[in-house]
Amino acid sequence: MAALWFLAVRGLRRHPVRTALVVLGLCVTGALLLDMTMLSGGLVTSLGQVLSRLGFAVRVVPKGTLPFSGDAEIPDGDRLAAAIATRPGVTAVVPVVATNVYVRRGPETFASFALGVPGGGTGAYALLAGRDLPPSAAGGTPDDEAAPAVVNPVMARLDGARIGDTLVVSAAARPALASVTSPVRVRVVGIADFYFDLATQRSIALPTADLWRVEGSAPGPASLILVRVAAPARIDALVAWIDARDPRVDALSIRRFLDRAGARLTYFNQFALILSSLSLMVSFLLITAIVTLSLGERVGEIAMLRALGMTRSRIGALVLLEGLLLAAASLPGAIGLGLAMSGNLDAILRSAPGVPENLHFFALTPGAVERTAVLLLATGALGGVYPAALAARLGIAATLHAEVLS
Amino acid sequence: MGSRTARQPWARPAAVCVAFVALLLGTGTLRGHAAGPASPAPGTDPPVALTDRSAKILGVVPGDRVELSATAAGPWRTFRVAAVYQPAVYPTEISRTRVDVRLHLADLEALEGGGDAVDSVVVRVRPPARPADVVTRLNALALGFRAYTSADLAERGSTTFEVIARFHRAISVVTILASSVFLLAIMTLRGEEMRRQVGVMRLMGISRRTVAAVVVLVAAAIALAGSLVGVGLGYGLSALINAYYRRLFDTPLVFSAVTTPVLLAAVGLSVVLGVAAGALTAWRLLRRRPLEQVGR
């Protein structure tokens, strides 16, 4: 085997420019392959990472939807949340109301996403500065007091909302409609990172009862119920119980959530599949073409090796090894270039409207690197099959005779 | 917009599909729909119009009855399919697998238990009024809505496609880079093969310029041949992509188009790259003296 390695490395080093060009070409196609592997399922992986970080094992949503994907609500969200809280292993249940509101700060009015939560410390957002919301009082904050609110950094940056500022939250954009809506005065008590915010999205969280007042709706409905579970083994049973209890909702474990989200991302998976196949095909052709063409220059050498006693199978193995070495030599460059390219490609795709800040299209995972390496090495080996077969079939006497004549 | 559910009372349970109904309170699905359903006669079920795809999914034809509900748990209300129509297809709506149902606003309000609210209002402007002026006047009203011209909406709606196009362009740069290296590697090998031949040509008195032109021509011919094969592959792949996605989404939309500018760009770029690779190879070949090239 050592002899084969020696001969293969020597064969490749004999033409450094040619070998460098092939390795460079394989670096580019390998980089594309890595990027497409990262893209395929990248969003789902990225979403899974964020979801796992939040710590909620189950999300209950209106049937057929995903969290915050529409205006649909769970009519008796509060009651369902209370029932879920009684199940074994459940450590926290957070019914969340989400809607779009208008926020007025001085003369300026801007649209914002609003989250109604029962109180602070729910994990629906991560506090960055100030203090969290107090527990939501039944019936909401008294009219003569400003309700507490937490805003996201975008609202703080773009609109100058500071801790201690007073804002007016309303379902209508214009003061003229204040008589038909219920504007609520709020005081900013904290600034928080709201998961899945869009790049320029303003978000505000206030106690659920106060948000119901803004909406002018009766207490009870929820857009989403977040559930923490102490024992992961109980998740499936809890999901089944919720599904059976209320046909109007879907209980989504993280796996079920990702499956449902993934089903809406077929474009990226199929695009990645097509481009991965193309990059593998180009790598295969590159290796096959170069190794086959270079074989033409070395038929005399191969015939000599055969004459010295090297078997056909070892000659074939030598050529296969050259293909494999070319692929292996390109791996570090392919991974480096792929990572560099993925940052730029991710930035392009993330500039699309409606892509949350925390999500990425390209997710680097050990599995993606491993898959790329295996595919590239396998392609290198496969690319060497045809020239290896040609080399193994060479007749010793005829080849040496032809070499002498030429 | 909320999720609502449609079901056909006599269909098999599997066909009692959970469908998202694009109702008038939806995302602008008023656009391009066929003539609306006839007004209901007293005592009859109110009418609905279905897109041809929705009718196929539900397995219904005009005259059949369907049940609609604002929630999966009901209450269900029976409607009569008054019309099946072919809607204008918009790329932005292509991935939606829901059933589209059109019904009278009053019927929808009754179904939802709400009223006096719409998601969008389409305004047709009579010349010589300019849409931009009308939009400015509407936005100046002290009401809780925002008006857009059709052009504004089209621009907002096409942003995603612009991003995807930019992504595709970035990928094409990578493939061009890969093919350039491929071509250069092939030409390096070809140059090695031509070394002796070039030496003989030079010894015969053929000028360096002519020899260089031959090498460049060979490279350009290889690139042109490769690009022609690539064009064929491109057509084939494009046909496969269209066939697959048209079937997947049940739509006549074109997903992949091999246009003349794309063809010209691909072939032109290949030839330019071929000429560049040929020039580089010729330069490397002609650096050596003729006798050295023939092995002396």
Side-chain angles (χ1 to χ4, degrees):
Chain A
M1 191 63 192
L4 283 185
W5 277 98
F6 172 77
L7 287 170
V9 171
R10 202 178 149 81
L12 292 176
R13 287 175 63 179
R14 194 181 302 155
H15 298 285
V17 174
R18 184 193 306 170
T19 303
L21 279 173
V22 178
V23 170
L24 183 62
L26 289 176
C27 280
V28 179
T29 53
L32 192 59
L33 179 63
L34 175 67
D35 284 348
M36 291 306 111
T37 312
M38 286 165 69
L39 177 65
S40 152
L43 257 184
V44 173
T45 305
S46 171
L47 180 63
Q49 286 165 350
V50 178
L51 292 180
S52 303
R53 212 166 55 230
L54 300 186
F56 296 105
V58 178
R59 285 158 177 78
V60 184
V61 294
K63 200 164 194 66
T65 67
L66 281 170
F68 307 145
S69 62
D71 295 337
E73 288 184 326
I74 304 164
D76 302 318
D78 269 5
R79 202 175 301 166
L80 179 60
I84 294 170
T86 63
R87 302 300 299 168
V90 173
T91 55
V93 183
V94 185
V96 175
V97 177
T99 187
N100 293 313
V101 295
Y102 292 93
V103 177
R104 201 165 70 243
R105 182 177 180 274
E108 299 295 323
T109 301
F110 37 88
S112 172
F113 174 73
L115 215 56
V117 290
T122 55
Y125 50 79
L127 198 67
L128 300 173
R131 58 187 171 83
D132 211 340
L133 297 178
S136 179
T141 310
D143 285 344
D144 54 342
E145 286 178 29
V150 170
V151 302
N152 73 342
V154 175
M155 197 185 288
R157 192 177 67 243
L158 297 182
D159 310 308
R162 303 269 180 272
I163 293 172
D165 281 2
T166 300
L167 313 172
V168 177
V169 180
S170 169
R174 312 280 172 158
L177 291 181
S179 57
V180 292
T181 62
S182 309
V184 168
R185 227 160 30 90
V186 301
R187 184 179 300 279
V188 179
V189 297
I191 294 174
D193 177 21
F194 289 63
Y195 311 108
F196 305 118
D197 267 358
L198 307 183
T200 55
Q201 178 187 309
R202 297 164 170 96
S203 294
I204 186 168
L206 44 156
T208 310
D210 292 312
L211 190 56
W212 281 331
R213 273 173 57 207
V214 173
E215 281 191 302
S217 64
S223 308
L224 164 73
I225 300 172
L226 301 166
V227 185
R228 278 188 212 277
V229 180
R234 292 185 185 274
I235 291 173
D236 288 341
L238 179 67
V239 165
W241 180 84
I242 297 170
D243 280 346
R245 186 188 185 277
D246 196 332
R248 298 168 302 176
V249 302
D250 282 331
L252 304 176
S253 60
I254 291 181
R255 171 55 38 208
R256 212 168 155 193
F257 187 132
L258 295 180
D259 287 347
R260 184 170 288 186
R264 299 185 181 191
L265 301 169
T266 49
Y267 163 78
F268 292 109
N269 293 340
Q270 286 163 354
F271 183 79
L273 180 68
I274 291 171
L275 271 188
S276 302
S277 309
L278 282 179
S279 66
L280 282 176
M281 203 189 302
V282 171
S283 303
F284 171 80
L285 285 176
L286 186 57
I287 293 172
T288 304
I290 299 298
V291 176
T292 307
L293 284 173
S294 67
L295 198 67
E297 297 173 357
R298 297 160 51 201
V299 286
E301 175 192 323
I302 289 168
M304 283 294 290
L305 288 172
R306 288 274 294 116
L308 287 171
M310 200 177 239
T311 60
R312 286 181 190 277
S313 60
R314 281 176 69 79
I315 289 289
L318 172 66
V319 179
L320 271 182
L321 195 57
E322 283 183 15
L324 198 63
L325 278 178
L326 283 170
S330 70
L331 268 179
I335 291 170
L337 186 61
L339 288 179
M341 277 166 34
S342 71
N344 292 319
L345 294 174
D346 194 50
I348 291 175
L349 287 179
R350 278 162 49 79
S351 65
V355 179
E357 281 282 86
N358 289 338
L359 292 191
H360 292 271
F361 287 83
F362 293 80
L364 179 66
T365 58
V369 176
E370 194 181 315
R371 208 157 43 245
T372 303
V374 169
L375 282 172
L376 206 55
L377 291 175
T379 306
L382 274 178
V385 166
Y386 173 69
L390 286 183
R393 279 208 306 266
L394 275 180
I396 301 172
T399 307
L400 288 176
H401 182 67
E403 280 290 298
V404 169
L405 286 181
S406 71
Chain B
M1 98 144 231
S3 315
R4 299 161 186 95
T5 306
R7 76 180 181 189
Q8 184 190 0
W10 57 85
R12 285 177 298 127
V16 179
C17 69
V18 176
F20 297 91
V21 182
L23 302 168
L24 289 178
L25 289 183
T27 51
T29 44
L30 268 173
R31 291 172 296 183
H33 74 88
S39 297
T44 62
D45 295 324
V48 292
L50 296 174
T51 63
D52 47 359
R53 188 180 176 196
S54 306
K56 195 172 150 191
I57 291 170
L58 290 169
V60 295
V61 294
D64 285 351
R65 299 291 192 275
V66 291
E67 289 186 351
L68 301 182
S69 168
T71 69
W76 297 91
R77 191 171 166 205
T78 305
F79 287 80
R80 174 175 49 85
V81 179
V84 173
Y85 68 98
Q86 199 165 25
V89 186
Y90 295 90
T92 46
E93 295 168 358
I94 195 67
S95 61
R96 295 180 189 168
T97 53
R98 66 190 186 187
V99 170
D100 281 328
V101 180
R102 308 291 167 97
L103 55 161
H104 287 300
L105 188 55
D107 293 334
L108 176 61
E109 287 174 346
L111 190 70
E112 281 210 311
D116 201 21
V118 290
D119 279 306
S120 61
V121 176
V122 180
V123 179
R124 182 168 285 157
V125 177
R126 185 182 299 123
R130 292 174 56 241
D133 296 339
V134 175
V135 161
T136 307
R137 288 211 310 273
L138 285 173
N139 284 333
L141 294 174
L143 291 170
F145 62 76
R146 178 91 196 153
Y148 300 93
T149 62
S150 298
D152 288 342
L153 280 181
E155 195 181 326
R156 288 163 69 94
S158 63
T159 310
T160 303
F161 294 100
E162 283 296 320
V163 170
I164 296 288
R166 263 180 27 228
F167 177 65
H168 286 181
R169 278 197 293 274
I171 294 288
S172 68
V173 169
V174 179
T175 57
I176 288 168
L177 188 64
S179 55
S180 306
V181 176
F182 197 166
L183 191 58
L184 208 53
I186 296 285
M187 279 314 296
T188 305
L189 264 171
R190 186 85 186 115
E192 300 286 339
E193 280 181 5
M194 289 175 75
R195 188 164 50 89
R196 192 181 293 263
Q197 189 185 344
V198 165
V200 172
M201 285 165 82
R202 293 278 294 121
L203 287 174
M204 284 168 66
I206 296 172
S207 70
R208 292 166 73 94
R209 178 177 292 193
T210 306
V211 173
V214 168
V215 176
V216 168
L217 268 177
V218 168
I222 290 174
L224 185 64
S227 66
L228 291 180
V229 174
V231 166
L233 278 174
Y235 267 112
L237 201 57
S238 178
L240 278 176
I241 287 171
N242 281 328
Y244 176 76
Y245 283 105
R246 282 177 170 177
R247 190 181 162 86
L248 183 70
F249 295 118
D250 193 16
T251 174
L253 281 175
V254 176
F255 291 83
S256 167
V258 182
T259 59
T260 308
V262 167
L263 276 183
L264 291 177
V267 175
L269 198 61
S270 295
V271 173
V272 168
L273 287 174
V275 168
L280 195 64
T281 308
W283 173 74
R284 289 188 69 218
L285 273 175
L286 292 172
R287 273 189 317 174
R288 296 179 183 172
R289 286 174 304 171
L291 282 175
E292 201 182 332
Q293 284 170 333
V294 293
R296 304 277 171 178

